[in-house]
Amino acid sequence: MISPPRESVGVKRTFNWKENLFAYALLFPSLIFLSLFTFYPTLKSIYNSFLSSGFGQKTFVGFDQYSRVLQDEVFRKVIINNLWLAAATIPTSILLAVYLAVWVNDKMKGNGILRASFFYPTVIPMIAIANIWLFIYTPDYGLIDKFFDMLGLSGPHWLGDPKWVMWAMIIMIIWKEAGFFMIFYLAGLQNLPSEVYEAAKLEGAKPFQVFRKITFPLLMPTTLFVLIVATTNSFKLVDHLYIMTKGGPDNASNLLLYYIYETAFSFWDTGAASVLTVVLLLILLSISIFNYAFLDKRIHY
Amino acid sequence: MEKPGLYYYVNKVIVALLAVLFLIPLVWTILTSFTPATDVITRSNPFWISRPTFDNYIAAWETVPFLTYYWNTIVIVIGILVVQLFTLTLAAYAFARLNFIGQNVMFIIFLVQIMIPPDVLIVPNYAIMSELNLVDSKLAIMMPYWASAFGVFLLRQTFKQVPIELDEASRVDGCKWWQTLWHVYMHSAKPTYVAFALISISTHWNNFMWPLIVTNSVESRPLTVGIAIFAQSFETGAQWGTVTAATILVIFPLLLAFFLFQRQFVESFMHSGIK
């Protein structure tokens, strides 16, 4: 995605006082806000994660707080939910996105409308999506149960049953994300060399063979990029929980970031919330490091 | 052109059916918002309105202070974008065209914000806002987003493609650095600015968790928080009409902009993923 700046090789550079000062002056406005709202809070979270915050008094407790929070039953549930959500939504929405992109890619009339109908969930706030899907999942009167009714079936209590609530969320997230990922595949498809396809056609390759042997491998850079966005999103998207389930029933749909929010602003346990924030930071950092260290090198054609 | 085979038509039909499936939530919400409150639950066909009405919109408009919320959201979105454009233009120029000590270190420092977005730092950032005495202000919602590493990298790529000769020519003509920046760089980066603006606006129009935490009054709340608090006050289906109407009022501006400028939107989001 982003290539680091390269020093110009062979050109002997002398230290230019003025240019250095000028460069840092230009970076300064950004650096203020980065320091104040990214670096300082990150360090503050790490520091606070070692302090217990009971009854307004902060005492140093070292790793005790970590073992208290990390051994908690709810923490385990939340992490499993997050992993489960990622495992179920990411491959499905990526496959759906590739499929849709391939079939709405040509300049045919009507494809614009098709693209729009897949992409529009991207521009709707998660909170509005939650309002809409809450009504879709409502027992008896909701859209899905009306449909089940027509078929003579009766659905479970989608959001109230711990067995079903994650499935309900997974379907909604796939609906929200597939069209967004489709856009990146549309961009990827535009860069594919047409000669390869002509050659494949001459060889009499079947359409699915062409996709499996040519299109999909050539789209690998896009897939890896989308994979990173999707993985990060699966930890960031939690707004809907506020409207739909509050993480319930019995934390069956709770996710790490929402759990952080609850811990800090409902239970007012800043120490525990800091430990959880550090865990989330570590997860996000390992996703990016994995990306830059392993994936970025392999995704060139 | 050769005739497409059966597989072609089968797949086209599947894609069209999927499109209908994807549109159902929106269509159903719009229809429900025009259905009289008494009919919402009893209607047998959820895709048919026998007596269309505006009552839900009137009720929603009267209960929710929409004008204040719209105003707040617009101020927040514009306030974030304007400062972002300033900070990221300067930083992108430095990264694209200047040689300085520690360039790589600075690059990584900016990269960290992409890895750790402000959205996950809600707990420490809330503490910082209360130290700054800014809790429950629009400023508190905006400030964490005033630096955008994503925007810096996006713009840096574009600035790097500006021919260096244009830069030199304008300097020979006697332009100051900021005149060159304006006439040469910012001018040729217009599509990138549009792309970034669309992404920034839709991200912050939709943002919820952070504004929810740092605000606690109608005067500073954006639309998303307002609608969430409004929707929370209902449990039963009787108010579906009002809640769907309010939801439509929240998503309508962005949705309208999206359908009008579909190409720009799609291209902007595409742009953000390309090297």
Side-chain angles (χ1 to χ4, degrees):
Chain A
M1 180 180 62
I2 294 147
S3 49
R6 285 195 188 87
E7 308 283 342
S8 41
V9 190
V11 183
K12 216 180 173 184
R13 279 212 321 265
T14 47
F15 181 76
N16 185 336
W17 227 89
K18 252 175 99 181
E19 192 172 356
N20 269 285
L21 210 64
F22 181 44
Y24 279 97
L26 293 180
L27 295 181
F28 185 67
S30 295
L31 283 176
I32 301 175
F33 297 114
L34 287 182
S35 317
L36 252 177
F37 302 111
T38 299
F39 297 112
Y40 175 57
T42 300
L43 297 176
K44 200 181 166 87
S45 299
I46 297 170
Y47 178 70
N48 280 341
S49 69
F50 294 110
L51 298 179
S52 161
S53 58
F55 305 106
Q57 268 187 333
K58 292 192 171 179
T59 39
F60 184 80
V61 291
F63 280 99
D64 285 2
Q65 191 151 244
Y66 276 84
S67 60
R68 171 170 73 89
V69 175
L70 303 189
Q71 281 171 5
D72 193 68
E73 182 60 26
V74 181
F75 174 76
R76 247 195 43 212
K77 245 184 186 171
V78 163
I79 292 290
I80 290 172
N81 284 344
N82 252 124
L83 294 176
W84 178 213
L85 184 79
T89 58
I90 296 170
T92 325
S93 45
I94 287 183
L95 280 179
L96 191 58
V98 185
Y99 177 75
L100 295 176
V102 167
W103 288 101
V104 300
N105 185 36
D106 46 26
K107 290 217 158 42
M108 240 182 55
K109 230 174 133 187
N111 273 352
I113 298 169
L114 289 178
R115 286 180 197 187
S117 39
F118 295 123
F119 183 74
Y120 85 92
T122 304
V123 293
I124 301 181
M126 204 60 198
I127 217 70
I129 287 175
N131 272 344
I132 295 171
W133 283 77
L134 180 66
F135 295 153
I136 290 178
Y137 286 135
T138 300
D140 301 337
Y141 311 114
L143 190 57
I144 289 193
D145 275 13
K146 283 252 164 142
F147 180 72
F148 269 52
D149 219 28
M150 233 169 60
L151 301 173
L153 301 164
S154 74
H157 192 333
W158 300 105
L159 299 178
D161 188 332
K163 277 208 308 277
W164 286 99
V165 66
M166 277 307 275
W167 287 107
M169 298 298 176
I170 286 164
I171 289 172
M172 183 183 78
I173 302 273
I174 293 171
W175 171 83
K176 171 163 173 73
E177 302 240 281
F180 178 50
F181 299 154
M182 175 192 77
I183 294 298
F184 299 115
Y185 281 107
L186 283 173
L189 284 171
Q190 285 178 0
N191 298 326
L192 295 189
S194 57
E195 308 85 50
V196 186
Y197 285 92
E198 274 148 32
K201 208 183 260 173
L202 287 177
E203 298 282 325
K206 294 213 166 58
F208 189 69
Q209 266 182 326
V210 173
F211 176 78
R212 213 170 55 100
K213 295 266 157 87
I214 303 174
T215 312
F216 196 71
L218 283 176
L219 284 174
M220 220 39 184
T222 313
T223 303
L224 293 176
F225 172 77
V226 170
L227 201 61
I228 297 300
V229 176
T231 319
T232 316
N233 270 1
S234 73
F235 286 95
K236 269 169 59 184
L237 285 182
V238 296
D239 297 356
H240 56 287
L241 296 178
Y242 182 83
I243 291 280
M244 297 176 87
T245 63
K246 302 269 181 200
D250 191 23
N251 289 304
S253 65
N254 211 349
L255 299 173
L256 185 52
L257 185 54
Y258 192 80
Y259 185 45
I260 292 176
Y261 161 76
E262 278 185 325
T263 309
F265 302 104
S266 303
F267 316 143
W268 295 102
D269 188 345
T270 322
S274 302
V275 172
L276 294 168
T277 303
V278 172
V279 172
L280 181 54
L281 294 181
L282 286 176
I283 293 173
L284 291 175
L285 277 179
S286 22
I287 296 171
S288 334
I289 288 170
F290 181 70
N291 174 30
Y292 291 109
F294 300 105
L295 301 183
D296 232 13
K297 289 202 185 78
R298 294 194 293 150
I299 60 178
H300 297 289
Y301 297 103
Chain B
M1 238 183 97
E2 67 179 302
K3 255 181 81 174
L6 179 68
Y7 80 95
Y8 178 87
Y9 293 107
V10 170
N11 281 299
K12 277 285 174 188
V13 169
I14 293 175
V15 170
L17 287 176
L18 280 172
V20 172
L21 203 64
F22 267 66
L23 280 172
I24 283 178
L26 179 65
V27 172
W28 180 72
T29 308
I30 294 171
L31 290 177
T32 306
S33 70
F34 288 107
T35 308
T38 46
D39 294 6
V40 168
I41 283 177
T42 53
R43 64 190 166 162
S44 55
N45 179 353
F47 292 100
W48 179 255
I49 320 173
S50 40
R51 297 177 293 139
T53 170
F54 268 109
D55 289 353
N56 295 322
Y57 283 90
I58 296 167
W61 193 269
E62 278 170 355
T63 10
V64 182
F66 267 106
L67 281 181
T68 316
Y69 289 158
Y70 271 122
W71 173 249
N72 292 345
T73 291
I74 289 169
V75 169
I76 290 162
V77 165
I78 304 274
I80 291 175
L81 182 63
V82 168
V83 180
Q84 276 180 337
L85 290 180
F86 173 74
T87 59
L88 67 88
T89 300
L90 297 184
Y93 178 71
F95 277 124
R97 281 293 139 89
L98 298 176
N99 286 311
F100 52 95
I101 307 248
Q103 197 157 0
N104 287 325
V105 176
M106 277 296 138
F107 199 83
I108 290 168
I109 282 187
F110 274 70
L111 211 56
V112 170
Q113 198 209 24
I114 294 187
M115 304 177 189
I116 309 174
D119 312 74
V120 301
L121 293 167
I122 46 178
V123 177
N125 272 342
Y126 179 82
I128 292 169
M129 287 305 167
S130 52
E131 278 164 32
L132 293 171
N133 246 326
L134 283 173
V135 171
D136 199 27
S137 70
K138 294 190 201 62
L139 216 53
I141 303 176
M142 297 188 262
M143 279 168 75
Y145 300 99
W146 275 350
S148 167
F150 162 72
V152 170
F153 293 132
L154 196 65
L155 197 60
R156 166 181 164 266
Q157 287 302 104
T158 316
F159 280 179
K160 276 177 90 106
Q161 281 154 20
V162 172
I164 194 88
E165 294 80 23
L166 276 179
D167 182 313
E168 281 157 4
S170 83
R171 276 163 206 268
V172 170
D173 286 345
C175 282
K176 293 265 183 328
W177 69 269
W178 45 269
Q179 285 170 318
T180 308
L181 186 60
W182 174 260
H183 290 299
V184 177
Y185 288 94
M186 293 179 76
H187 240 70
S188 47
K190 264 188 208 155
T192 309
Y193 280 111
V194 172
F196 178 78
L198 283 180
I199 292 170
S200 170
I201 289 171
S202 47
T203 307
H204 295 293
W205 187 286
N206 296 345
N207 199 5
F208 171 71
M209 209 34 122
W210 174 242
L212 171 75
I213 292 163
V214 284
T215 59
N216 48 41
S217 70
V218 171
E219 284 67 40
S220 43
R221 250 176 227 149
L223 273 170
T224 46
V225 178
I227 178 92
I229 285 167
F230 170 68
Q232 286 289 293
S233 51
F234 298 119
E235 286 292 332
T236 57
Q239 283 83 13
W240 281 14
T242 335
V243 176
T244 46
T247 305
I248 293 294
L249 285 172
V250 172
I251 64 179
F252 182 70
L254 270 191
L255 220 46
L256 182 74
F258 167 61
F259 282 111
L260 287 180
F261 305 103
Q262 210 205 113
R263 234 193 39 175
Q264 281 89 334
F265 261 94
V266 170
E267 275 169 13
S268 300
F269 279 87
M270 267 187 193
H271 206 84
S272 69
I274 299 174
K275 292 170 169 273

